Amino acid sequence: MMSPVDDGSTTPSVRAPKKSTGVSTSTILLVIGASAISFLAGTLFALGFNQCPTLPPPAQAAAEQAKGTPLESPNTVTAEKRSLVRKEIAEPLERKAPPVEPAHTTTSHRKGQLFPETVQKFVTGMAHVDKTEFTDKFELGVPLDLPSEGTEDILLLYSGKRSMPTKYQQSLATDIQQLTTEEATENCLFLNMIYTHHDGQREQCTAIIPQYESFHIHKWMRLPKSGKGGVDKTNPLKPVGRGLQANGIDPFKVPVYERHTKRHWEILRKYLDSVDDVLNELRPIVKRIKIKNTVIVMVCNHGQSELLVNFACSTHARGLDISNIIVFATDEETKELAESVGLAAYYDEHNFGDITSEAAKEYGDRHFTAMMMAKVICVQLISLLGVDLLFQDVDIVWYKNPLNFFHKNEHDPIHTFDMYYQDDGAHSTRYAPYAPNSGFYYVRHNAKTRHFLTSLLMQGDLVLKTFSHQQAMTAVMAEHASLFGLRVKVLSRDENDFPGGYHYHRKNGEFLRQMYQGEVSPTIFHMSWTKNKDNKLLFLKQMGEWYLQDKCVSKKLADIGIEKDNFVSSCCSKEALVTCHYKDKPSIKPCKDSPALDKGRPSFW
């Protein structure tokens, strides 16, 4: 809207004087005075209420005319002059009347309304529901952190009045109430779930934007100008990858073409050239050993073979069936050892012939990474044969056959999932949101899981870059769960069936103490979270989970000097071979005379 003296034209022209019409001088002065007052009122109206450009005040205009300076048009008034007008005219009057609130800061709440009109098209009400009750009802498979103070409930937003529970529609539009899960979701036709960080000390905001839907969370951070380190509050928010952490570490760096992608292509080329031949060789083996259309898959080189053999010896001691296990050996020596303890074995020379027989010295080294790719390939091959599979690492011991857990009654709720993973225990950004342990998982064969395992194979350069197929597996899994509805269940670390390195190394091994006292009865134990094979052996020995005679450790069958059929009787002990090594690590008997491994840790006993 324009001021009363602004007709939208340029600066008014000076007209030639007209002949006198007989109007008195006093009348002329009265008209001029009234015009001046109208001008001032219009200017103030424009400045204070409409914020439209205005003409200079009359005194300034007269002075400029006296100097021969042409008047500026309303559209060319400078910011400096506009500020002057506000100071000289608007401010004195503002002291007499309260300022008018600018339009962009006004609220549009109706009386008693929870949300303003400006968001009513996508959020009209809110409720909170007990977290445990809600997640039990809507099981997404993610391992849940136990509720703590300030995180006992979940927050539920309603997009419209019809989505609210019928009897609470009016109250939820004006207040936030605690409801049961059944009440809260009574009229929800769609339910979107967001998992967000719950550390109250982190300065985190969540924006919900009315838009056509995205099923990804886009992350922004205040980065330091150097690009290094963590966050800098003085800098603006910038978009980042989801893996970037507050300490500046980003575990999801892009693979390098020359180092990772080209190497992956070489691996992939060998695989694609040989896949039909390999499947033809595997098919009769799998057909022979499968039980309830399920096989158990392991992969091993000679450097890790003592762990494989110890696993087999422990199952013989406990009388557990291992007849449907197939070992993908990466060398002939390991194939022979696997067969000598009653395991089916297959040596894939096409794909694994170049893998070293040495054990990895630590997590993430080149030998470790090579074996990670072997783990990706072997499960993908088995999936193509149309059977369910349980994959497990060699550093596992069984107390019961784990297939009994996965082959429960088909009406059990657990059968609604496509894949099941041991909880790694590391609930970090790197493995979010599932934190799946890639060393123990069960896969039901279907189109979704087969495509998932094929897609993981195609992400080999990410495996090589991150030194972990667990990290790449988690990233692909999250996308497939969102895009295809892949159902993944992580077997929570707070349950007792599938403990691992997290339970061994955290809380001073409290879970192991409960196990030795007979308070918990797990299905398996996985010696994960351990730097290398040497430590795994020592930990298993003092846990009472070592059954391989010393004379057969790290030996090829030919070096032991026995026939293949005599290996179990000659090398496997019927009782656990217990030895102490570290007093601060869990042990089945007191090891107080042994040194401590971790400085400052108390004795386990």
Side-chain angles (χ1 to χ4, degrees):
M1 180 177 177
M2 297 182 183
S3 65
V5 298
D6 186 357
D7 62 1
S9 63
T10 57
T11 305
S13 60
V14 180
R15 297 179 181 178
K18 294 184 178 180
K19 293 181 180 180
S20 175
T21 59
V23 180
S24 67
T25 303
S26 61
T27 302
I28 294 173
L29 291 174
L30 182 61
V31 172
I32 292 173
S35 300
I37 293 171
S38 297
F39 182 89
L40 285 171
T43 301
L44 180 60
F45 183 87
L47 283 172
F49 295 88
N50 291 321
Q51 299 179 346
C52 292
T54 63
L55 292 170
Q60 182 182 345
E64 289 178 349
Q65 278 187 312
K67 296 177 183 177
T69 305
L71 290 174
E72 292 175 295
S73 75
N75 297 323
T76 58
V77 177
T78 64
E80 182 179 356
K81 292 176 180 176
R82 189 178 295 115
S83 176
L84 209 62
V85 171
R86 289 193 178 98
K87 184 175 182 180
E88 293 180 0
I89 298 177
E91 290 181 3
L93 288 180
E94 285 173 355
R95 288 195 292 269
K96 298 178 182 179
V100 177
E101 189 175 355
H104 67 276
T105 61
T106 59
T107 58
S108 54
H109 283 80
R110 292 177 181 171
K111 187 176 180 180
Q113 187 171 273
L114 188 60
F115 292 101
E117 295 291 335
T118 52
V119 299
Q120 286 287 310
K121 283 294 183 79
F122 65 98
V123 56
T124 58
M126 183 186 301
H128 57 108
V129 181
D130 180 81
K131 176 181 177 179
T132 303
E133 179 196 340
F134 186 86
T135 52
D136 283 346
K137 172 71 174 178
F138 301 107
E139 171 66 86
L140 199 60
V142 172
L144 291 170
D145 295 336
L146 294 176
S148 57
E149 186 176 357
T151 68
E152 298 94 337
D153 288 0
I154 66 100
L155 195 62
L156 192 63
L157 299 177
Y158 296 100
S159 65
K161 206 163 187 179
R162 287 188 301 177
S163 63
M164 298 181 194
T166 305
K167 69 177 181 178
Y168 293 104
Q169 285 182 357
Q170 191 58 45
S171 59
L172 291 179
T174 59
D175 194 12
I176 305 172
Q177 297 187 27
Q178 182 165 30
L179 307 179
T180 67
T181 301
E182 290 292 339
E183 289 172 337
T185 59
E186 174 192 353
N187 291 327
C188 296
L189 298 185
F190 306 93
L191 178 63
N192 295 331
M193 297 173 67
I194 299 174
Y195 291 93
T196 187
H197 200 280
H198 54 77
D199 180 358
Q201 301 303 312
R202 180 174 289 187
E203 298 94 330
Q204 177 175 283
C205 305
T206 301
I208 300 177
I209 303 171
Q211 176 69 333
Y212 57 85
E213 287 181 297
S214 169
F215 293 91
H216 292 81
I217 295 177
H218 304 275
K219 185 175 180 180
W220 295 58
M221 285 177 62
R222 298 187 187 274
L223 300 176
K225 292 180 180 178
S226 63
K228 298 180 180 179
V231 293
D232 186 340
K233 293 183 179 180
T234 64
N235 287 333
L237 289 164
K238 293 184 177 179
V240 298
R242 75 176 188 224
L244 186 59
Q245 302 168 18
N247 58 9
I249 297 175
D250 188 354
F252 282 101
K253 293 181 179 178
V254 178
V256 178
Y257 172 76
E258 290 78 8
R259 292 176 54 197
H260 307 115
T261 304
K262 290 185 72 174
R263 184 180 168 199
H264 170 232
W265 286 355
E266 287 298 320
I267 296 171
L268 200 56
R269 183 178 293 112
K270 290 180 182 178
Y271 174 85
L272 295 174
D273 286 344
S274 63
V275 63
D276 290 333
D277 292 337
V278 171
L279 289 174
N280 287 334
E281 293 168 358
L282 280 172
R283 190 170 284 106
I285 301 174
V286 169
K287 184 178 180 180
R288 183 182 76 248
I289 67 171
K290 66 180 180 179
I291 297 175
K292 294 184 178 180
N293 201 44
T294 306
V295 296
I296 300 168
V297 181
M298 304 175 76
V299 61
C300 188
N301 66 357
H302 191 261
Q304 299 279 341
S305 60
E306 56 263 64
L307 286 169
L308 171 69
V309 174
N310 179 68
F311 161 76
C313 289
S314 68
T315 58
H316 286 305
R318 291 186 168 109
L320 299 173
D321 182 15
I322 56 174
S323 62
N324 66 332
I325 294 179
I326 179 170
V327 177
F328 281 77
T330 63
D331 49 66
E332 290 283 5
E333 293 82 7
T334 303
K335 178 177 182 294
E336 191 174 33
L337 281 171
E339 290 172 340
S340 71
V341 290
L343 302 171
Y346 176 71
Y347 172 44
D348 182 359
E349 189 174 5
H350 305 282
N351 295 293
F352 302 154
D354 295 335
I355 295 179
T356 178
S357 60
E358 297 178 32
K361 292 182 172 58
E362 60 182 356
Y363 175 90
D365 70 14
R366 62 188 181 89
H367 300 323
F368 180 92
T369 306
M371 290 303 293
M372 294 305 100
M373 284 304 300
K375 291 179 180 182
V376 172
I377 289 172
C378 68
V379 293
Q380 201 270 338
L381 286 168
I382 293 297
S383 174
L384 292 178
L385 293 176
V387 296
D388 298 350
L389 67 94
L390 170 66
F391 177 85
Q392 68 168 53
D393 281 341
V394 294
D395 56 347
I396 281 178
V397 292
W398 285 4
Y399 305 110
K400 311 166 190 173
N401 190 316
L403 291 183
N404 295 334
F405 179 89
F406 300 109
H407 289 169
K408 288 181 178 179
N409 186 299
E410 63 180 9
H411 298 297
D412 192 291
I414 199 169
H415 279 266
T416 63
F417 291 90
D418 302 307
M419 302 194 300
Y420 310 79
Y421 282 79
Q422 181 186 32
D423 188 346
D424 183 81
H427 293 180
S428 63
T429 303
R430 187 182 185 193
Y431 302 126
Y434 289 101
N437 188 299
S438 56
F440 185 86
Y441 60 94
Y442 185 85
V443 180
R444 298 192 191 282
H445 177 264
N446 57 45
K448 292 178 183 178
T449 57
R450 184 168 57 188
H451 182 54
F452 165 74
L453 294 173
T454 301
S455 298
L456 179 60
L457 176 64
M458 300 303 163
Q459 293 288 327
D461 52 351
L462 185 59
V463 175
L464 299 174
K465 173 65 178 179
T466 59
F467 310 107
S468 166
H469 84 302
Q470 179 181 3
Q471 187 173 335
M473 178 179 280
T474 306
V476 177
M477 181 187 302
E479 179 64 17
H480 279 234
S482 174
L483 186 59
F484 301 113
L486 179 73
R487 296 274 287 153
V488 181
K489 169 67 176 173
V490 173
L491 307 163
S492 175
R493 68 187 184 189
D494 298 310
E495 297 173 359
N496 299 327
D497 286 301
F498 302 98
Y502 168 84
H503 302 82
Y504 186 86
H505 295 288
R506 290 289 178 92
K507 300 179 181 179
N508 198 27
E510 181 60 31
F511 183 91
L512 275 297
R513 189 175 287 106
Q514 294 175 346
M515 189 174 76
Y516 295 144
Q517 294 171 352
E519 296 174 8
V520 294
S521 179
T523 299
I524 61 107
F525 180 83
H526 183 190
M527 195 67 258
S528 56
W529 278 39
T530 305
K531 182 178 180 180
N532 54 34
K533 180 193 72 173
D534 294 338
N535 276 354
K536 291 177 189 284
L537 265 62
L538 300 180
F539 296 160
L540 288 170
K541 286 178 179 179
Q542 69 178 44
M543 278 182 65
E545 300 301 342
W546 194 255
Y547 291 82
L548 180 62
Q549 302 281 1
D550 287 345
K551 65 180 181 179
C552 304
V553 173
S554 301
K555 300 280 181 63
K556 299 177 183 178
L557 198 60
D559 296 334
I560 301 172
I562 57 175
E563 296 294 327
K564 181 186 290 189
D565 294 341
N566 297 329
F567 186 93
V568 172
S569 59
S570 300
C571 293
C572 292
S573 172
K574 294 182 180 180
E575 303 291 335
L577 304 171
V578 183
T579 53
C580 285
H581 299 280
Y582 302 111
K583 67 180 181 181
D584 59 330
K585 291 299 178 183
S587 55
I588 196 169
K589 69 177 185 179
C591 294
K592 295 182 179 180
D593 295 332
S594 300
L597 179 63
D598 299 328
K599 187 177 180 180
R601 288 282 296 272
S603 173
F604 178 73
W605 287 92

